[in-house]
Amino acid sequence: MRRCVLLLLCGTLAVSCGYDRFGPLPAEAWPEVTTLPNTQLAQLRTFGGETAQTVTDDMVVEGYVTSDDRAGNFYRSFFIEDASAAVEVRAGCYDLFRYVPRGRRVVLHLKGLAIGRYDGVVQIGACADGDRAAEFGARAVLDACLERDVRFRHETPLRYAIARLEEPMCGRLVRIGPVIRTAESPACWAVAADENGVPQTGTVAFRDRTGDTVRVVTSGYADFAGERVPSDSVTLTGILLYGPYDGSRKVFALKLRDAYDVE
């Protein structure tokens, strides 16, 4: 608990000084990270069932960044993926597309951090906060356990039929299609501003040729929120989630990184 409080205090100080916003880093300034991982991301799914857990072992993981917040659909977090699985890093910072650009390799030292689970996704945070892993809150806090490498690789999305989706795949970048918007779904991805001027998250259902459905969940703050959903057949690419996106019923959903994830 003491460590958690100290981390959050550091995060508050860093944010107050403006350290949660970053300028672009020149390519020659990226270091080459020589730290080797000793744990695959898939192994982290054994943590964080009902409550978040603190890592006590010297576990080191690596992954390539698959999301960014440039389009506004992801908020204060980013996803990384290795050959086995994917996790969400609860950074708690803005402008993450500058700090960890999509495709960048990162290495995380997990000892003392917390692992939880939300919407089927394994999350890494600064400390345990009930059933969630708390946000790091600032770059200064995150820098203490994260190494950013000069190497990068844009992950190829996993191509899956809706019927083959499974919860352990959550957090991964997947491609689904061809699918078509269901007739009862909204015409736009989300509501950029309701009658009170407040953006509202939108959920649009898509059906494939076999009749199986997947949802696309979009933040009202996304720069494509007010755009119309295509009425013809499309292929969707996004981060896979599993949660109550159909009332109280848990279903699979995708979160698009930007409008280009619709083809």
Side-chain angles (χ1 to χ4, degrees), residues 8-90:
L8 293 178
L9 283 174
C10 289
T12 302
L13 290 171
V15 170
S16 66
C17 294
Y19 292 135
D20 63 332
R21 296 187 176 273
F22 330 111
L25 191 64
E28 61 272 14
W30 287 97
E32 181 175 359
V33 175
T34 58
T35 305
L36 296 177
N38 58 22
T39 304
Q40 287 192 312
L41 294 180
Q43 294 175 248
L44 305 188
R45 191 159 280 274
T46 61
F47 289 79
E50 295 297 322
T51 59
Q53 295 176 260
T54 301
V55 179
T56 57
D57 296 330
D58 289 313
M59 299 173 66
V60 180
V61 296
E62 69 170 355
Y64 289 83
V65 179
T66 56
S67 70
D68 64 46
D69 56 1
R70 185 188 295 268
N73 203 28
F74 288 85
Y75 179 68
R76 295 165 64 98
S77 75
F78 61 94
F79 287 75
I80 64 172
E81 188 170 323
D82 68 7
S84 70
V87 301
E88 180 181 8
V89 181
R90 301 202 70 207

Side-chain angles (χ1 to χ4, degrees), residues 18-260:
Y19 292 135
D20 63 332
R21 296 187 176 273
F22 330 111
L25 191 64
E28 61 272 14
W30 287 97
E32 181 175 359
V33 175
T34 58
T35 305
L36 296 177
N38 58 22
T39 304
Q40 287 192 312
L41 294 180
Q43 294 175 248
L44 305 188
R45 191 159 280 274
T46 61
F47 289 79
E50 295 297 322
T51 59
Q53 295 176 260
T54 301
V55 179
T56 57
D57 296 330
D58 289 313
M59 299 173 66
V60 180
V61 296
E62 69 170 355
Y64 289 83
V65 179
T66 56
S67 70
D68 64 46
D69 56 1
R70 185 188 295 268
N73 203 28
F74 288 85
Y75 179 68
R76 295 165 64 98
S77 75
F78 61 94
F79 287 75
I80 64 172
E81 188 170 323
D82 68 7
S84 70
V87 301
E88 180 181 8
V89 181
R90 301 202 70 207
C93 308
Y94 300 101
D95 292 342
L96 288 167
F97 69 93
R98 301 183 188 277
Y99 178 59
V100 279
R102 197 188 302 179
R104 186 65 58 188
R105 177 181 179 263
V106 299
V107 173
L108 268 168
H109 299 260
L110 300 182
K111 187 173 183 179
L113 303 183
I115 299 176
R117 203 179 304 171
Y118 186 76
D119 281 356
V121 176
V122 173
Q123 297 180 321
I124 297 173
C127 59
D129 182 16
D131 61 343
R132 299 291 301 275
E135 291 184 342
F136 288 93
R139 171 178 171 174
V141 181
L142 191 54
D143 277 344
C145 58
L146 184 143
E147 297 180 81
R148 296 172 292 161
D149 196 9
V150 66
R151 286 171 283 180
F152 73 93
R153 181 180 73 213
H154 291 289
E155 295 295 299
T156 301
L158 300 174
R159 186 69 181 258
Y160 273 94
I162 297 173
R164 292 186 58 205
L165 297 176
E166 298 178 342
E167 192 171 348
M169 298 166 55
C170 285
R172 302 200 78 163
L173 186 65
V174 300
R175 178 170 291 163
I176 297 173
V179 292
I180 192 166
R181 179 178 68 89
T182 61
E184 63 274 16
S185 286
C188 295
W189 295 107
V191 178
D194 63 12
E195 62 274 12
N196 298 314
V198 180
Q200 298 292 323
T201 298
T203 302
V204 180
F206 287 82
R207 182 175 290 115
D208 65 13
R209 292 169 180 169
T210 66
D212 293 311
T213 56
V214 67
R215 274 68 176 173
V216 171
V217 58
T218 304
S219 168
Y221 291 95
D223 60 13
F224 58 94
E227 294 182 11
R228 295 187 65 83
V229 179
S231 57
D232 52 354
S233 180
V234 295
T235 296
L236 304 169
T237 300
I239 301 295
L240 184 66
L241 309 173
Y242 182 70
Y245 298 111
D246 186 24
S248 59
R249 186 169 69 99
K250 285 190 174 185
V251 295
F252 286 106
L254 294 179
K255 183 170 252 193
L256 310 180
R257 298 165 300 175
D258 50 46
Y260 296 104

